[in-house]
Amino acid sequence: MKLYCLSGHPTLPCNVLKFKSTTIMLDCGLDTTSVLNFLPLPLVHSRIVLYLFIYCELKECAGRVFVDSQPEFCLPERELLDLSTIDVILISNYHCMMALPYITEHTGFTGTVYATEPTLQIGRLLMEELVNFMERVPKAQSATCWKNKEIQRMLPGPLKDAVEVWTWKRCYSMQEVNSALSKVQLVGYSQKVELFGAVQISPLSSGYSLGSSNWIIQSHHEKVSYVSGSSLLTTHPQPMDQSSLKNSDVLILTGLTQMPTANPDGMLGEFCSNLAMTIRAGGNVLVPCYSSGVIYDLLECLYQFIESANLGTTPFYFISPVANSSLEFSQIFAEWLCHNKQTKVYLPEPPFPHAELIQTNKLKHYPSIHGDFSSEFRQPCVVFTGHPSLRFGDVVHFMELWGKSSLNTIIFTEPDFSYLDALAPYQPLAMKCVYCPIDTRLNFHQVSKLLKEVQPLHVVCPEQYTQPPLSQSHRSDLMLELQPPPMPYRRCSVLNLPFRRRYERVYILPELANSLVPSEIKPGTSVATVSAVLHSKDNKHTLQVLPKPPPAPPTKKRKRVIEEPPVVLAPKPLLSGAVPLEAFLATLQKHGISEVKVEETADGHILHLQAEDTLIQLEEDGTHIVCDNNEPLRTTLRDLVLRFLQKL
Amino acid sequence: MPEIKVTPLGAGQDVGRSCILVSIGGKNIMLDCGMHMGYNDDRRFPDFSYITQNGRLTEFLDCVIISHFHLDHCGALPYMSEMVGYDGPIYMTHPTKAICPILLEDFRKITVDKKGETNFFTSQMIKDCMKKVIPLNLHQTVQVDDELEIKAYYAGHVLGAAMVHIKVGSESVVYTGDYNMTPDRHLGAAWIDKCRPDILISESTYATTIRDSKRCRERDFLKKVHESIERGGKVLIPVFALGRAQELCILLETFWERMNLKAPIYFSTGLTEKANHYYKLFITWTNQKIRKTFVQRNMFEFKHIKAFDRSYADNPGPMVVFATPGMLHAGQSLQIFKKWAGNEKNMVIMPGYCVQGTIGHKILNGQRKLEMEGRATLDVKLQVEYMSFSAHADAKGIMQLIRMAEPRNMLLVHGEAVKMEFLKGKIEQEFSINCYMPANGETTTVTTNPSVPVDISLNLLKREMALGGPLPDPKKPRTMHGTLIMKENSLKLVSSEQALKELGLNEHQLRFTCRVQLQDPHSDPDTLHRIYTHLKSVLKGYTIQHLPDGTVMVESIVIKVSSSAEDPNTKVLLLSWSYQDEDLGSFLSNLLKKGLPSGLC
């Protein structure tokens, strides 16, 4: 049992588990932080200055060097193992599937992807949005020269320190997205799916986002839990199912909060107060965010907040090619929502209050800044738009538009990107920056409590979780401390999972079961010897009764029966117990053997059957019958001895 | 032998008040808890006294499962849980859980407020009953307790309709509820995997019907409505608020748009708006096409269909009215029917099955004079049309489901006896499985033959697998020998040696030693070699060794030679074997007694 680790990003994992005879990929995360090294894809041509370095694919901007090309993403490792051997891919949430087209297309992958319906639908929206952002402003140039080791070495940071640059790839096409997603098989929480009869997989609610799941991968005797992006906070998704994680042999732990010191509730409060302050001062608020996820909670929070803060007339805009779809889809997944939201659906009312915000025209959504938006746009306003890296998407336009005025505020809520790096190409900036990252995933305190509860035998986690963060090296509470210590992994690690498989499930067919003769060995424990035919098909083993030996073919010429060595179908069982002297003598007597001379030895007795000239040596752990030339007698004695012994 | 027992309390050779009891692996499950539309007395509800004469049902039932929100499947639920008494879990899908209480409340209002019945369940009872409901998701495996698990499949009959797979150990039953095997304008087709249940309990409403294509029926329906409108008639379509109604609305809406028709379409009852809202929120339960396009255009937002007011019924000119309930047994549809029945220009289209005893059933059977309350009679002059739009599987669909699930036994409910009989014959002929059709209160017992799951030690399994070579050879079965240890509830199959060790027993060696005299004028070593050669030729496929210490070993049997003291030509062979080699040892001693063949070198 092995674990191949293809991604080094702890919240965007991509691991491959070889379990029994199956190869299972756990998540398919795409590390997009690489795009911070690229120039923003401008909608309007900007003030960015040509950087006259050795190559024209690099440009300087605000004192930092960026790659001027279509942004590229850091893919999961593709050389560590043959991706065409992967049988299934399990997706835990829509943020962790963005690398899917790179894995399922052009690698010879022929397996199945398993995901819940919300994960698939919202994942599709996020991919669609990403492709749309990229294709809006195509750049012919694809920069590769800077990746040359010799050149990269001479570049200023952070480009100099970028790792795995040769695996960086441009965004996929919509066609590849569709093809990849056509391989998805939908599953529901607690649904049990059999893989090749060997392994059973089952998704469990993880409480992090709509349809987000942890996975149980188990056979009859081994259990691996895969925990990825889980949350114990009460937001919109169904609460996390913790109890089903119990009794795991191995628990693979990924996707903890990236902001262990930021309390999501506090951040939400800060978000609201900064937003209100800016609007009151006549400024605009820009919220770079993903089109699904925390935005639902932000809108819900604002729904309650705007009246009390007297923001009833402020327009809220949500701009994304998938804004409408995202808002609509959020309303139709009643099964996947928390109890409160489910109850609303029974009324029937839409589960999220953003429906009302849209109805009352407080929230408007547009596919992009072009078209209707440009004519209907009023300031001061609040704009939610992507991409949170500030490198592409409509957000670039708003940075250009609002960056110069100190009245405006940009509020970062997504934790995936360092806000300073995100802002780097826009410096100097007059606009206010507020950083309130909202990451609802488990923190170290919650996770250690969880692990205490579910008691896995071994924990596997990214190496980042086994030491405190570099910036806070004194905070020993910001790491996992477990007994036995967790097994850390990094990109390209191959771990041998500590499994001791000892048993396998086999089914005894009714006919055989009925023919078994159990005998009680000690109170409550019985044994029966089993001789059977083993059938193995589709990794399922069954035991059937032995076939009757075929009737001996009629011998044509001379009878040579005695010359035929015996065909042994079932070997004789092992024996256990001891033969008690007195009882044995009595039995002999009953069978007409009375002339017995008993001689005591160190280890037992020797019985001399005088009339028959036969010796029986009785000992605690053995019986020896010495009998010449009298086969009938020998077999009688054998059967008498066997009466006293247990057969195993 | 383990058994599964199935007893219908309702829907046994009948349609209405579906309620089926299943006993499987020591668990008792109630499937559906419906009311009968054809009765107004005690026969309206299933006879729960079958379960127990006195007291509550909680201790006799492990769970109740409701397949969908139609009243003939859930109408008796508050009566059962609150008036008879049941506090255990009740399972239904989310849409069913949402819609069921509304229909129950409607039913209660008609019965109590309009007909003035007392001793009926109250609004509070409906609420209390719904608190006991645990929602089910499709394909989710729900563990009712440690042994009993249930799983819901899409049934396509109405929004949220489900089939359930019930499993205890290796025994299982599937109950279909009502289902539909062909996708329609708003729902998808029923689907189940090859779960091979011991019993498949299927509805059989349309057991003898094989329906023509849906398209033809739709065209027919539109033609009839159109003709009637053209000649200025009024069309009444009695429906239930949720289900067929939405499908027909989608159909008429698109037709009106295409043909640019102006005649008004009305939908009665305050439920409309609400009902359509449920469809919008539970869009994931509708068919592929609607789900795909819902962001751009929600199919359940109608332009041509407006809310009905009672006064409109007397308006002049043509109109189409959808009114509830669907079998003309009460309520608004009946009122409108009474108003319009006298005019032959008008038309009533019954789009679904009508239970015996209802007016719908009577007029479909050609009755033209109806006895109404208070000895009044009603002459039926309007056209009566029947269109089978209700989403039940037809004979072809039922056979298709059997092929999907591959049950070991079949049991028919929710149909008429004569029709069931016909289908039963067909099933038994085509699939060679038993098919049962118990009447209400009659118990069907099916013995199951489950295989016994056992934990085999991996060492033993691997040893056996290695013996048989990497690939199994169908001609040479792999035999396996081991010891089964039964301790409390665990069954472990291990090698005999391991069994001894695990049980803390010591092995008892049983050995035999046998002297055989042999005439052989050779030296001792030569005799031994002759024995070796002889055995080699007789015993093919055994391990035979001539050891340097002057012994021959056949498997683990030891043979030694010594000369007799008196006569050097008489050799004494000493054979010694353990009980495990008994067969071979006995064979060898007999063989050697007969001497060695002379031809040996």
Side-chain angles (χ1 to χ4, degrees):
Chain A
M1 224 148 294
K2 280 188 171 170
L3 189 72
Y4 298 77
C5 309
L6 311 189
S7 159
H9 196 299
T11 29
L12 297 165
C14 183
N15 295 314
V16 174
L17 175 70
K18 290 211 178 194
F19 185 59
K20 289 183 89 180
S21 50
T22 56
T23 306
I24 302 171
M25 179 177 272
L26 305 169
D27 274 333
C28 214
L30 183 64
D31 185 351
T32 49
T33 50
S34 55
V35 302
L36 294 175
N37 295 298
F38 291 78
L39 273 185
L41 287 183
L43 295 170
V44 203
H45 266 285
S46 51
R47 61 200 153 82
I48 289 157
V49 190
L50 193 69
Y51 179 70
L52 293 173
F53 203 70
I54 322 167
Y55 292 92
C56 59
E57 55 191 38
L58 299 173
K59 284 186 180 167
E60 192 191 75
C61 176
R64 207 150 153 177
V65 178
F66 295 94
V67 181
D68 180 20
S69 112
Q70 191 89 7
E72 294 181 336
F73 308 122
C74 179
L75 268 54
E77 188 58 46
R78 296 198 288 180
E79 305 299 324
L80 197 59
L81 84 165
D82 181 1
L83 296 178
S84 69
T85 62
I86 289 172
D87 297 311
V88 295
I89 302 179
L90 310 182
I91 301 296
S92 57
N93 63 67
Y94 46 75
H95 288 301
C96 290
M97 64 187 283
M98 300 301 277
L100 205 53
Y102 296 115
I103 302 293
T104 61
E105 309 307 300
H106 321 300
T107 59
F109 172 80
T110 53
T112 310
V113 182
Y114 288 96
T116 62
E117 184 163 11
T119 300
L120 170 66
Q121 301 299 4
I122 298 175
R124 181 194 295 280
L125 295 182
L126 294 183
M127 288 179 171
E128 212 180 298
E129 183 185 48
L130 199 62
V131 174
N132 187 298
F133 283 160
M134 293 295 176
E135 289 179 353
R136 260 189 216 170
V137 262
K139 275 205 176 185
Q141 188 187 5
S142 201
T144 50
C145 299
W146 70 273
K147 292 183 183 176
N148 185 311
K149 264 203 186 98
E150 295 305 308
I151 295 169
Q152 199 199 349
R153 230 161 30 114
M154 294 188 289
L155 296 177
L159 262 185
K160 188 172 78 173
D161 309 314
V163 287
E164 315 284 349
V165 290
W166 284 104
T167 71
W168 292 12
K169 283 273 170 328
R170 302 173 65 151
C171 190
Y172 30 75
S173 68
M174 207 50 218
Q175 194 189 352
E176 286 166 315
V177 170
N178 287 331
S179 169
L181 296 184
S182 71
K183 294 169 177 125
V184 174
Q185 172 100 40
L186 295 182
V187 284
Y189 286 150
S190 308
Q191 180 177 347
K192 294 173 181 171
V193 180
E194 289 270 332
L195 300 183
F196 317 106
V199 176
Q200 194 184 58
I201 54 166
S202 185
L204 306 172
S205 175
S206 76
Y208 169 57
S209 61
L210 270 175
S212 70
S213 28
N214 293 321
W215 291 84
I216 300 288
I217 302 127
Q218 63 184 340
S219 65
H220 282 288
H221 297 95
E222 299 87 21
K223 178 171 174 179
V224 178
S225 295
Y226 174 58
V227 174
S228 165
S230 302
S231 175
L232 291 171
L233 300 180
T234 335
T235 57
H236 56 274
Q238 213 182 87
M240 179 181 178
D241 178 352
Q242 301 179 58
S243 59
S244 304
L245 298 172
K246 277 183 185 161
N247 303 321
S248 312
D249 297 289
V250 171
L251 186 143
I252 303 168
L253 179 70
T254 67
L256 298 185
T257 177
Q258 303 185 77
M259 297 293 143
T261 49
N263 169 4
D265 277 331
M267 290 294 131
L268 208 54
E270 220 167 288
F271 169 80
C272 287
S273 62
N274 277 295
L275 183 141
M277 224 144 60
T278 307
I279 295 291
R280 277 192 208 113
N284 300 295
V285 177
L286 179 62
V287 187
C289 62
Y290 292 115
S291 307
S292 179
V294 176
I295 183 164
Y296 303 143
D297 298 314
L298 292 179
L299 290 175
E300 180 153 9
C301 175
L302 288 173
Y303 169 79
Q304 290 154 359
F305 178 71
I306 45 182
E307 289 311 321
S308 64
N310 213 6
L311 297 174
T313 53
T314 312
F316 288 76
Y317 300 115
F318 177 17
I319 300 164
S320 156
V322 298
N324 185 23
S325 297
S326 168
L327 293 171
E328 289 286 341
F329 267 110
S330 67
Q331 305 286 18
I332 65 160
F333 292 122
E335 279 103 321
W336 310 88
L337 293 173
C338 64
H339 182 74
N340 272 344
K341 296 228 177 306
Q342 264 177 23
T343 333
K344 288 188 90 176
V345 176
Y346 293 155
L347 291 176
E349 275 171 23
F352 285 96
H354 54 238
E356 200 184 316
L357 288 177
I358 295 168
Q359 227 167 29
T360 54
N361 266 328
K362 290 192 175 101
L363 174 66
K364 291 187 177 185
H365 53 81
Y366 300 90
S368 79
I369 49 166
H370 304 289
D372 292 345
F373 177 72
S374 43
S375 54
E376 291 171 21
F377 171 50
R378 280 191 297 118
Q379 300 196 57
C381 63
V382 180
V383 170
F384 295 88
T385 188
H387 184 271
S389 65
L390 308 189
R391 290 301 178 273
F392 42 86
D394 299 292
V395 73
V396 177
H397 173 87
F398 288 99
M399 287 306 293
E400 300 288 332
L401 188 68
W402 291 342
K404 293 169 213 97
S405 161
S406 61
L407 279 178
N408 302 326
T409 307
I410 178 168
I411 310 183
F412 290 88
T413 54
E414 300 289 352
D416 283 0
F417 300 92
S418 143
Y419 79 106
L420 289 175
D421 287 340
L423 289 172
Y426 301 97
Q427 298 294 359
L429 210 59
M431 135 194 248
K432 277 200 291 288
C433 294
V434 178
Y435 187 53
C436 12
I438 297 172
D439 194 333
T440 57
R441 285 172 282 210
L442 295 175
N443 61 34
F444 287 99
H445 175 68
Q446 290 165 326
V447 84
S448 55
K449 217 174 130 199
L450 172 76
L451 291 176
K452 235 174 244 158
E453 193 99 342
V454 303
Q455 300 263 349
L457 289 182
H458 300 276
V459 173
V460 176
C461 70
E463 60 177 356
Q464 288 92 331
Y465 297 162
T466 58
Q467 65 227 12
L470 279 178
S471 53
Q472 288 155 303
S473 52
H474 61 288
R475 293 284 299 266
S476 64
D477 57 325
L478 299 184
M479 61 180 275
L480 273 184
E481 269 182 297
L482 297 171
Q483 256 339 301
M487 302 171 64
Y489 73 79
R490 63 173 71 170
R491 191 178 168 107
C492 291
S493 296
V494 179
L495 302 185
N496 269 312
L497 297 185
F499 263 109
R500 276 182 49 220
R501 290 183 54 208
R502 293 175 57 200
Y503 286 98
E504 177 69 272
R505 184 50 63 92
V506 67
Y507 292 89
I508 299 187
L509 291 189
E511 199 190 344
L512 176 64
N514 289 338
S515 72
L516 296 180
V517 189
S519 60
E520 193 166 58
I521 289 279
K522 34 183 147 170
T525 306
S526 305
V527 296
T529 55
V530 179
S531 285
V533 177
L534 175 70
H535 276 274
S536 300
K537 191 181 157 195
D538 297 341
N539 288 312
K540 291 257 186 285
H541 310 290
T542 53
L543 292 176
Q544 301 181 352
V545 281
L546 293 172
K548 299 228 164 51
T555 38
K556 280 175 192 160
K557 290 177 189 168
R558 266 188 325 139
K559 279 200 171 176
R560 292 179 58 200
V561 179
I562 194 72
E563 306 264 300
E564 294 289 331
V567 182
V568 183
L569 274 179
K572 293 278 184 272
L574 292 184
L575 303 173
S576 175
V579 182
L581 180 66
E582 293 308 319
F584 185 60
L585 286 174
T587 316
L588 285 179
Q589 183 105 36
K590 244 189 247 167
H591 284 78
I593 302 168
S594 47
E595 270 184 73
V596 182
K597 204 181 117 197
V598 181
E599 188 186 314
E600 203 158 321
T601 66
D603 302 314
H605 300 87
I606 293 178
L607 279 58
H608 189 198
L609 281 54
Q610 284 170 321
E612 294 83 4
D613 193 21
T614 289
L615 286 177
I616 303 173
Q617 193 178 342
L618 289 184
E619 283 173 10
E620 188 61 37
D621 55 359
T623 300
H624 194 166
I625 297 174
V626 184
C627 175
D628 302 336
N629 261 331
N630 192 345
E631 187 65 9
L633 174 68
R634 190 186 67 81
T635 48
T636 312
L637 292 175
R638 176 193 70 195
D639 294 340
L640 293 181
V641 169
L642 285 178
R643 281 192 197 178
F644 294 98
L645 297 173
Q646 291 159 332
K647 290 149 207 83
L648 287 163
Chain B
M1 275 293 169
E3 293 176 338
I4 302 177
K5 289 185 179 169
V6 182
T7 315
L9 296 187
Q13 303 182 5
D14 186 17
V15 177
R17 64 162 200 206
S18 281
C19 184
I20 296 136
L21 298 178
V22 172
S23 293
I24 173 172
K27 307 283 168 188
N28 297 313
I29 298 125
M30 179 185 283
L31 301 169
D32 279 337
C33 191
M35 50 90 64
H36 203 295
M37 307 275 187
Y39 299 116
N40 281 324
D41 51 19
D42 282 351
R43 290 173 295 174
R44 176 165 56 196
F45 292 142
D47 180 10
F48 298 113
S49 67
Y50 178 91
I51 303 172
T52 173
Q53 289 290 340
N54 36 30
R56 305 171 67 80
L57 303 177
T58 313
E59 58 181 299
F60 299 95
L61 291 176
D62 292 278
C63 74
V64 174
I65 304 169
I66 302 295
S67 65
H68 63 282
F69 58 65
H70 279 158
L71 289 174
D72 58 331
H73 292 261
C74 69
L77 195 58
Y79 171 75
M80 195 266 317
S81 74
E82 305 311 306
M83 297 173 78
V84 180
Y86 170 75
D87 300 317
I90 301 169
Y91 292 94
M92 51 179 87
T93 65
H94 284 273
T96 308
K97 185 182 174 187
I99 296 164
C100 176
I102 298 172
L103 298 187
L104 285 172
E105 181 59 30
D106 239 38
F107 171 43
R108 191 198 64 80
K109 267 192 205 145
I110 290 177
T111 321
V112 177
D113 300 352
K114 295 232 170 90
K115 294 188 188 160
E117 279 188 45
T118 52
N119 194 22
F120 204 74
F121 53 78
T122 62
S123 296
Q124 189 54 44
M125 284 178 184
I126 297 175
K127 280 187 194 124
D128 292 340
C129 167
M130 293 314 289
K131 279 184 198 142
K132 297 170 186 170
V133 172
I134 301 171
L136 272 180
N137 295 337
L138 279 186
H139 302 164
Q140 172 193 18
T141 308
V142 173
Q143 214 71 43
V144 176
D145 58 33
D146 286 344
E147 287 150 342
L148 173 61
E149 60 179 49
I150 57 177
K151 180 176 176 181
Y153 291 90
Y154 192 78
H157 173 65
V158 285
L159 194 72
M163 310 193 274
V164 271
H165 182 239
I166 299 147
K167 193 173 156 213
V168 181
S170 49
E171 297 172 275
S172 64
V173 169
V174 167
Y175 173 59
T176 64
D178 291 354
Y179 63 104
N180 184 13
M181 297 297 287
T182 44
D184 62 28
R185 278 179 187 269
H186 74 306
L187 296 176
W191 178 85
I192 194 161
D193 51 25
K194 207 177 282 306
C195 52
R196 299 197 175 95
D198 291 298
I199 308 178
L200 174 64
I201 304 174
S202 171
E203 64 133 329
S204 50
T205 324
Y206 289 128
T208 54
T209 328
I210 291 186
R211 285 179 298 170
D212 45 4
S213 90
K214 191 104 191 179
R215 293 266 158 220
C216 292
R217 263 178 289 144
E218 285 176 1
R219 218 175 17 239
D220 233 31
F221 169 78
L222 293 172
K223 207 174 122 210
K224 278 177 184 155
V225 173
H226 195 193
E227 280 169 5
S228 192
I229 297 291
E230 289 283 274
R231 62 169 183 263
K234 297 178 165 60
V235 181
L236 170 66
I237 308 172
V239 288
F240 287 101
L242 289 129
R244 255 358 63 195
Q246 276 69 27
E247 185 189 357
L248 295 177
C249 283
I250 293 176
L251 193 61
L252 281 189
E253 168 93 4
T254 40
F255 186 69
W256 250 237
E257 198 150 310
R258 203 174 69 224
M259 306 294 285
N260 201 15
L261 297 178
K262 293 282 174 274
I265 309 175
Y266 297 115
F267 200 119
S268 81
T269 82
L271 258 179
T272 343
E273 194 80 350
K274 228 175 171 183
N276 290 338
H277 219 102
Y278 279 117
Y279 276 84
K280 279 157 73 181
L281 292 173
F282 286 113
I283 210 113
T284 53
W285 286 79
T286 60
N287 70 25
Q288 197 89 40
K289 194 180 153 209
I290 295 185
R291 265 154 54 191
K292 262 203 163 139
T293 54
F294 91 103
V295 177
Q296 290 81 42
R297 172 157 192 239
N298 200 314
M299 290 293 263
F300 298 102
E301 275 159 16
F302 301 115
K303 268 193 281 179
H304 296 272
I305 300 167
K306 295 172 187 79
F308 180 74
D309 185 276
R310 196 181 294 199
S311 61
Y312 296 174
D314 299 319
N315 284 1
M319 66 173 87
V320 179
V321 175
F322 288 96
T324 57
M327 301 186 191
L328 287 179
H329 55 279
Q332 199 154 34
S333 63
L334 186 59
Q335 281 172 18
I336 300 173
F337 176 76
K338 283 185 198 160
K339 267 198 182 132
W340 293 357
N343 189 338
E344 58 274 5
K345 268 206 290 189
N346 296 340
M347 182 189 281
V348 58
I349 301 181
M350 307 296 300
Y353 184 87
C354 289
V355 167
Q356 212 154 21
T358 58
I359 295 200
H361 189 260
K362 286 177 191 158
I363 58 168
L364 280 181
N365 280 338
Q367 212 168 314
R368 287 318 227 177
K369 269 200 195 312
L370 297 172
E371 283 169 39
M372 307 309 283
E373 285 139 46
R375 269 194 246 138
T377 57
L378 181 68
D379 282 321
V380 181
K381 289 196 184 138
L382 51 43
Q383 285 186 59
V384 177
E385 295 289 345
Y386 173 67
M387 311 251 24
S388 159
F389 270 101
S390 58
H392 292 282
D394 60 0
K396 214 167 87 195
I398 296 170
M399 302 302 251
Q400 207 180 330
L401 188 79
I402 298 175
R403 238 165 270 135
M404 265 184 176
E406 290 190 0
R408 286 186 250 281
N409 295 280
M410 190 70 195
L411 193 146
L412 300 177
V413 294
H414 201 280
E416 290 159 32
V418 194
K419 294 182 180 175
M420 276 186 182
E421 200 75 61
F422 174 81
L423 184 65
K424 172 177 145 78
K426 256 188 83 169
I427 290 171
E428 287 178 330
Q429 190 193 354
E430 193 169 332
F431 299 100
S432 315
I433 55 174
N434 287 327
C435 182
Y436 305 92
M437 38 174 284
N440 286 337
E442 192 185 323
T443 301
T444 296
T445 307
V446 170
T447 52
T448 57
N449 220 348
S451 39
V452 184
V454 163
D455 296 335
I456 187 170
S457 102
L458 214 53
N459 291 338
L460 181 61
L461 183 68
K462 282 203 173 142
R463 194 165 82 191
E464 299 304 327
M465 303 262 274
L467 276 181
L471 287 169
D473 179 359
K475 282 184 206 142
K476 204 173 156 228
R478 292 196 294 216
T479 53
M480 210 237 38
H481 309 285
T483 303
L484 185 65
I485 306 177
M486 292 163 263
K487 200 178 189 174
E488 281 144 24
N489 285 328
S490 86
L491 292 174
K492 271 199 290 192
L493 186 58
V494 297
S495 65
S496 304
E497 294 83 1
Q498 198 186 336
L500 281 177
K501 221 193 267 170
E502 287 204 5
L503 295 168
L505 302 173
N506 46 353
E507 189 183 348
H508 189 97
Q509 290 277 354
L510 177 56
R511 279 197 82 77
F512 304 97
T513 300
C514 195
R515 265 176 305 210
V516 176
Q517 295 206 341
L518 197 68
Q519 292 298 318
D520 197 49
H522 292 87
S523 68
D524 292 357
D526 281 355
T527 304
L528 193 68
H529 188 72
R530 281 161 55 78
I531 291 171
Y532 172 69
T533 320
H534 178 47
L535 294 182
K536 262 287 212 216
S537 72
V538 176
L539 297 171
K540 299 270 190 294
Y542 286 86
T543 329
I544 305 171
Q545 293 165 283
H546 189 163
L547 299 176
D549 66 344
T551 54
V552 166
M553 293 269 290
V554 181
E555 302 290 328
S556 67
I557 298 169
V558 184
I559 304 171
K560 280 186 186 167
V561 176
S562 62
S563 304
S564 150
E566 301 98 59
D567 176 7
N569 284 346
T570 306
K571 308 289 181 194
V572 178
L573 304 188
L574 201 68
L575 273 78
S576 180
W577 67 90
S578 71
Y579 174 63
Q580 278 68 35
D581 280 320
E582 169 68 5
D583 291 333
L584 189 60
S586 166
F587 169 78
L588 280 182
S589 70
N590 279 330
L591 180 77
L592 292 173
K593 252 179 234 167
K594 279 191 253 124
L596 298 174
S598 48
L600 281 173
C601 54

